[in-house]
C-alpha cells in the first residue's frame, strides 16, 4: 500500500537509495509517484531526502558524538533523518522527535535519547561542527576534498564543497521552436530572465504545463556552451554522439532552425526512449535517434562525413554535484583513472565519421583535469588529424553555474 506518512516515505526512499546504485532523482521520483502524499508532504519528503544525502558526513559526525559505537544501517538512517529536521529544517523539535522515534522500531529508546541530547546540546554540537574538517562540515568524501585541495588549494576546495551543498536553482531554456522568452514571462509568476544566458529563465516553481507543452527544457545555462562552441548551422549534417536525455540535441535543433539533419546516438534503451520522448515534446523535426555503442571498435552508422560532431562524453559529473546530490557518494578514486581511458576511446571511435574540414566539440560536466585537459592531450596524440582550436571551462564558484569543459577541434 502506498504511504501517506512523509517520514516513512522518506526513510524508505533513503533505504532504497543506499542499498542500490539507483540515482537519487530516480528513487525520489518513484517514491512520490507511488504515494498518496499531499503537496505539502511531498515537499517535506523532497527536502528531507536530498538534505540527508547532501549532509551525510555532517549528520554522522553528530551521531558519533552521542553514539561512538556501531549502529545498524536502518537506525543510522532514522537518526540522520531526525537530526536533519532538528538542525536544518524549520520543524518543531517535539514533532521531529516524536515522529522520528515512531520510525525506529526496536531502537526507539536509543533514537529518542540521542535526539533529545542533540536538542539539549545543540550549541555545543554546532561549535564542534565549525571546528571539524571542511569535508565533514560540507559532507564530501575525504578523497574528493583532498584532490581538489591539491589542484586548487584548500580555500577553493572548501568553496566548491560549500557550493555543492546549496540547493540548486531551477533554470529552464526557452525552446524557441515552440515559444519565446517574452511569451513565457507574460504567463508565469516567479519566473525571471537569467543573467547567465539570454535563452534561460530562473524559476521558483516550474509550471507543469510548460514541460508538457514543450516550450521549455530544464537545463542549466552551462550545458548550452558546448552547442554554441560547435556552432551548428542550418542545413548542416550533425552527429550528437552521446545525446540522451536530449537537452543539448534540442538546442542543436534550435540553433539549426530545425533544418539540416542531426543523428542523435546513445546506448541504453531506457535513455533512448527518454531521448525520443523529449525531442518529440520539444518539436524537433530534423533528428534521427539511433542506438550506438561507441566502445565497439567499428560502430555501424548509416552515414559518414558529418559537418560537425558533438561529443558530450560520460564523465564523473563533478561539475554538477550541486544538482546531482548523490554523485559524491558514488565516486571512487578509481573513477578518475578509468574515465579518461573510456573518454579517449569514445573519441577515437567517433572521429572517423567527421568529414575533413569538419569540427568536433569534446565536452564534459567535470571539473577534473584528467577528464578535460588530459583527454584533450590524449586525443591530440592518438588522432593526429585533429587540430585543437580552443578550450573553455566553467567553474561553479567562479561563474555561478554548473561546472563544464569544452574543447573545439578541427579535422584536417
Amino acid at each position: 500500500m502506498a504511504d501517506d506518512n512523509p517520514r516513512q516515505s522518506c526513510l524508505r526512499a533513503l533505504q532504497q537509495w543506499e542499498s542500490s546504485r539507483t540515482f537519487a532523482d530516480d528513487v525520489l521520483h518513484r517514491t512520490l509517484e507511488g504515494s498518496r502524499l499531499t503537496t505539502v508532504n511531498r515537499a517535506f519528503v523532497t527536502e528531507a531526502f536530498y538534505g540527508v544525502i547532501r549532509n551525510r558526513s555532517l549528520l554522522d559526525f553528530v551521531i558519533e558524538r552521542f553514539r561512538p559505537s556501531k549502529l545498524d544501517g536502518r537506525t543510522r538512517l532514522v537518526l540522520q533523518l531526525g537530526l536533519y529536521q532538528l538542525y536544518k529544517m524549520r520543524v518543531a523539535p517535539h514533532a521531529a522527535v516524536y515522529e522520528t522515534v515512531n520510525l525506529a522500531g526496536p531502537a526507539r529508546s536509543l533514537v529518542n535519547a540521542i535526539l533529545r541530547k542533540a536538542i539539549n546540546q545543540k550549541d555545543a554540537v554546532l561549535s564542534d561542527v565549525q571546528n571539524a574538517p571542511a569535508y565533514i562540515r560540507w559532507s564530501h568524501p575525504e578523497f574528493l576534498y583532498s584532490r581538489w585541495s591539491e589542484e586548487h588549494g584548500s580555500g577553493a576546495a572548501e568553496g566548491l564543497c560549500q557550493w555543492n551543498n546549496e540547493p540548486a536553482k531551477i533554470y529552464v531554456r526557452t525552446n524557441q521552436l515552440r515559444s519565446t522568452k517574452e511569451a513565457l514571462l507574460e504567463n508565469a509568476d516567479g519566473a525571471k530572465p537569467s543573467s547567465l544566458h539570454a535563452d534561460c529563465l530562473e524559476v521558483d516553481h516550474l509550471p507543469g504545463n510548460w514541460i508538457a507543452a514543450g516550450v521549455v527544457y530544464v537545463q542549466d545555462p552551462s550545458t548550452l556552451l558546448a552547442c554554441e562552441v560547435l556552432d551548428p548551422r542550418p542545413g548542416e549534417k550533425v552527429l550528437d554522439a552521446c545525446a540522451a536525455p536530449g537537452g543539448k540535441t534540442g538546442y542543436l535543433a534550435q540553433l539549426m532552425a530545425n533544418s539540416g539533419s542531426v543523428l542523435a546516438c546513445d546506448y541504453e534503451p531506457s535513455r533512448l526512449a527518454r531521448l525520443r520522448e523529449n525531442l518529440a515534446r520539444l518539436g524537433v523535426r530534423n533528428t534521427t535517434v539511433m542506438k550506438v555503442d561507441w566502445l565497439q571498435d567499428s560502430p555501424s552508422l548509416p552515414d559518414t562525413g558529418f559537418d560537425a560532431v558533438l561529443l558530450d562524453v560520460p564523465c564523473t559529473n563533478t561539475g554538477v554535484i550541486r544538482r546531482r546530490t548523490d554523485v559524491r557518494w558514488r565516486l571512487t578514486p578509481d573513477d578518475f583513472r578509468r574515465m579518461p581511458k573510456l573518454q579517449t576511446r569514445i573519441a577515437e571511435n567517433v572521429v572517423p565519421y567527421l568529414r575533413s574540414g569538419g569540427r568536433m566539440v569534446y565536452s564534459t560536466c567535470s571539473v577534473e583535469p584528467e577528464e578535460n585537459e588530459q583527454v584533450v592531450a590524449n586525443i591530440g596524440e592518438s588522432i593526429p588529424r585533429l587540430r585543437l582550436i580552443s578550450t573553455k571551462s566553467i567553474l561553479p564558484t567562479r561563474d555561478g553555474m554548473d561546472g563544464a569543459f569544452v574543447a573545439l577541434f578541427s579535422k584536417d
Side-chain angles (χ1 to χ4, degrees):
M1 180 179 292
D3 277 320
D4 56 10
N5 182 312
R7 290 170 177 83
Q8 182 68 58
S9 294
C10 187
L11 177 61
R12 289 186 179 178
L14 289 167
Q15 289 177 295
Q16 290 171 19
W17 173 78
E18 195 161 80
S19 63
S20 72
R21 296 289 297 176
T22 307
F23 292 125
D25 291 348
D26 294 332
V27 170
L28 181 64
H29 175 74
R30 288 202 298 266
T31 297
L32 296 179
E33 190 177 45
S35 76
R36 299 184 305 231
L37 295 166
T38 65
T39 300
V40 171
N41 284 342
R42 290 166 73 91
F44 175 93
V45 172
T46 299
E47 180 179 350
F49 175 73
Y50 284 129
V52 167
I53 294 173
R54 186 180 290 120
N55 291 277
R56 198 178 185 199
S57 295
L58 172 63
L59 297 171
D60 281 344
F61 177 82
V62 178
I63 291 171
E64 287 166 15
R65 177 188 174 100
F66 302 115
R67 175 73 177 199
S69 57
K70 188 174 180 179
L71 287 167
D72 66 274
R74 187 180 188 280
T75 301
R76 181 171 293 277
L77 284 175
V78 170
L79 282 168
Q80 289 174 347
L81 179 56
L83 289 168
Y84 183 76
Q85 295 171 71
L86 291 174
Y87 281 34
K88 295 289 186 177
M89 295 181 74
R90 291 191 297 271
V91 176
H94 70 275
V97 172
Y98 176 79
E99 296 291 348
T100 303
V101 167
N102 283 340
L103 302 176
R108 288 172 60 94
S109 297
L110 173 64
V111 169
N112 182 64
I114 290 177
L115 293 182
R116 294 192 179 281
K117 288 179 181 177
I119 294 172
N120 294 333
Q121 300 180 36
K122 185 174 182 178
D123 290 343
V125 170
L126 293 178
S127 177
D128 286 349
V129 167
Q130 290 305 310
N131 294 318
Y135 67 87
I136 290 177
R137 280 186 279 121
W138 303 113
S139 285
H140 279 63
E142 184 176 3
F143 87 88
L144 197 55
Y145 172 76
S146 295
R147 65 178 283 117
W148 288 342
S149 293
E150 292 174 6
E151 179 68 25
H152 306 291
S154 59
E158 181 169 354
L160 185 55
C161 291
Q162 185 175 356
W163 164 275
N164 289 340
N165 252 37
E166 296 173 1
K169 294 180 179 179
I170 303 174
Y171 295 101
V172 295
R173 172 181 62 83
T174 304
N175 177 25
Q176 294 181 15
L177 300 178
R178 292 207 183 276
S179 187
T180 65
K181 182 172 66 175
E182 291 73 23
L184 295 176
L185 288 171
E186 286 179 2
N187 301 292
D189 295 329
K192 61 182 180 182
S194 169
S195 62
L196 300 175
H197 194 281
D199 277 358
C200 290
L201 302 176
E202 183 180 333
V203 296
D204 294 332
H205 303 286
L206 184 63
N209 62 317
W210 280 8
I211 297 297
V215 295
V216 301
Y217 191 87
V218 179
Q219 198 163 16
D220 190 85
S222 65
T223 64
L224 306 182
L225 176 64
C227 301
E228 291 170 350
V229 170
L230 185 65
D231 189 24
R233 296 142 200 174
E236 285 192 319
K237 187 166 62 173
V238 177
L239 171 62
D240 188 354
C242 305
K248 291 184 177 69
T249 316
Y251 192 43
L252 291 175
Q254 176 179 309
L255 293 173
M256 298 169 70
N258 239 344
S259 70
S261 65
V262 178
L263 180 62
C265 305
D266 218 287
Y267 180 64
E268 289 291 336
S270 61
R271 288 173 59 80
L272 288 166
R274 187 178 175 194
L275 172 60
R276 290 188 178 95
E277 292 169 3
N278 285 334
L279 296 180
R281 189 173 59 253
L282 293 171
V284 172
R285 298 191 303 273
N286 70 341
T287 299
T288 301
V289 174
M290 181 177 179
K291 180 180 178 181
V292 176
D293 182 0
W294 291 110
L295 294 178
Q296 295 179 6
D297 290 334
S298 299
S300 177
L301 266 63
D303 206 349
T304 59
F306 288 93
D307 300 299
V309 172
L310 175 60
L311 182 54
D312 186 44
V313 293
C315 68
T316 58
N317 298 291
T318 55
V320 295
I321 290 177
R322 185 180 195 177
R323 196 166 303 281
R324 292 185 57 185
T325 309
D326 58 335
V327 161
R328 72 193 82 176
W329 306 121
R330 302 304 198 196
L331 292 173
T332 68
D334 185 59
D335 290 322
F336 300 94
R337 295 183 287 269
R338 178 179 60 86
M339 292 303 297
K341 297 176 183 177
L342 180 150
Q343 291 154 346
T344 302
R345 184 177 173 190
I346 291 174
E348 291 170 343
N349 288 341
V350 166
V351 168
Y353 297 94
L354 179 65
R355 69 168 175 83
S356 179
R359 58 203 185 277
M360 182 183 84
V361 160
Y362 170 87
S363 69
T364 75
C365 57
S366 169
V367 296
E368 311 306 320
E370 294 97 324
E371 299 179 90
N372 298 333
E373 292 85 358
Q374 180 180 313
V375 171
V376 166
N378 293 345
I379 292 172
E381 292 175 2
S382 64
I383 314 173
R385 290 190 65 190
L386 277 188
R387 179 167 51 90
L388 178 64
I389 304 299
S390 63
T391 63
K392 293 185 178 181
S393 65
I394 297 175
L395 292 176
T397 50
R398 182 190 67 201
D399 301 306
M401 56 182 131
D402 289 348
F405 175 84
V406 170
L408 174 65
F409 293 90
S410 177
K411 186 175 182 181
D412 294 333

